[in-house]
Amino acid sequence: MTTHQTEAAIGCPPDIRDHLMSPVTRRVLGVRHEALRAAREFLDGAGFVELQPPLVGPVTDPGARGAKQVDIDYYGHRYKVMTSAILYKQASLLAFDKIYYIAPNLRLEPLETRFTGRHLTEFYQLDVEVAHASCTEIMDLSRDLVTHVIGSVVANRRADLAALGRDTGVFAPALTGLFDRVTHTEAVTAIRGMRLEHNEYAEIDWRGEELLSLEATRPFFVTGYPKGSRGFYDRESRTQPGLLRDFDLLAPEGYGELASGGEREFEYRRVVQRMRETGENPAKYGWYLDLVRQGIPPSAGFGLGVERLTRYLAGLEAVAQATAFPKLPGVPSP
């Protein structure tokens, strides 16, 4: 590993010139390019329409675990830079039943995340949303998408992976398309069995994800998070009150979360109720609630981190190595 890679891996931004001119970086960005090409190939072939979400808006996703939002002055109005495009995904289904975005997001992550190897303040996300889909259907779609991307990268970037020291044999279990599924309750029990304390009503934390991931040989799902652990838009089960119809998709080998998704609340009364339960002020979400009141379709979807997927594919120490211009929490950089 070169010096600039080591610095990126431990939380120090590399020299941009050295980073961009490095043959290692070029190979990593080639892997990333192939992953996005294959993702578009898969989704376009399945009848999806690619749209572009806004960069700023009156509100953004409030469920960005521990991260702060960024405000800007938009002609005298207080607007937000997008932390994710979840609200716009639901709105976009008024135009098309199956949509996706590949778009940048900005989150001021807590300073302690700088050294996790898994967090950037600026990152790209592949967002997918399908009208009238169930949680099971969208999980299957995310599995098939990831399997297709892995297969395409292995087939078309084998030389790059070899030069990066990535043994393509590690992907054999994933290429079967057989992804395990565990409930949130089962995951917490497993984490506690590894002598790590974990709140049974909270999201799986970063260390817990890593421990679960280290035990796996293929990507796997964690399903059924407790209500209160996620944003207001994740749909509560009608048959199991208190549980959400959602999931995380984790990579093996300690790489942790790749994607998060689930079914969406779409009924006005329930959306407002969930906003209040999660401490959100419905008055901030005027444009969104107007759409919900007039009627939006039920849906399910997910967001997949491009840098996290690239890190897993290329076998990198840190997501900072998976982008041309890494921005680490708390570190000013180009």
Side-chain angles (χ1 to χ4, degrees), residues 230-246:
R230 297 288 177 103
F232 64 79
Y233 40 77
D234 278 5
R235 188 169 185 254
E236 183 178 5
S237 171
R238 301 300 185 257
T239 58
Q240 295 178 287
L243 292 183
L244 300 175
R245 298 277 296 166
D246 65 356

Side-chain angles (χ1 to χ4, degrees), residues 206-260:
W206 302 311
R207 179 57 178 158
E209 281 184 4
E210 182 181 32
L211 291 176
L212 291 173
S213 178
L214 283 168
E215 296 291 312
T217 60
R218 70 187 79 208
F220 64 98
F221 294 101
V222 178
T223 66
Y225 279 74
K227 187 173 75 165
S229 66
R230 297 288 177 103
F232 64 79
Y233 40 77
D234 278 5
R235 188 169 185 254
E236 183 178 5
S237 171
R238 301 300 185 257
T239 58
Q240 295 178 287
L243 292 183
L244 300 175
R245 298 277 296 166
D246 65 356
F247 67 90
D248 280 346
L249 174 60
L250 276 65
E253 304 177 79
Y255 288 104
E257 181 191 328
L258 293 177
S260 182

Side-chain angles (χ1 to χ4, degrees), residues 37 103 308:
R37 186 207 63 77
R308 288 185 176 183

Side-chain angles (χ1 to χ4, degrees), residues 276-316:
R276 289 172 174 155
E277 288 174 351
T278 56
E280 289 296 316
N281 179 5
K284 296 192 307 182
Y285 295 86
W287 74 267
Y288 173 73
L289 287 176
D290 284 346
L291 291 182
V292 174
R293 185 186 294 107
Q294 295 171 57
I296 59 174
S299 67
F302 61 86
L304 186 152
V306 173
E307 287 82 7
R308 288 185 176 183
L309 177 62
T310 303
R311 180 193 177 205
Y312 164 55
L313 292 169
L316 306 174

Side-chain angles (χ1 to χ4, degrees), residues 41-108:
E41 175 184 70
F42 175 87
L43 292 168
D44 291 349
F48 282 78
V49 176
E50 181 177 5
L51 300 178
Q52 288 73 45
L55 294 175
V56 300
V59 289
T60 186
D61 179 3
R65 185 165 60 181
K68 294 181 180 179
Q69 300 174 358
V70 176
D71 295 337
I72 66 165
D73 182 341
Y74 187 75
Y75 299 102
H77 297 273
R78 186 179 180 182
Y79 267 42
K80 303 286 186 181
V81 179
M82 289 299 108
T83 60
S84 92
I86 173 63
L87 305 182
Y88 292 96
K89 285 200 297 180
Q90 286 183 277
S92 294
L93 296 179
L94 294 170
F96 300 98
D97 285 344
K98 300 164 74 172
I99 63 99
Y100 71 95
Y101 308 143
I102 299 174
N105 297 272
L106 184 66
R107 299 178 185 177
L108 297 184

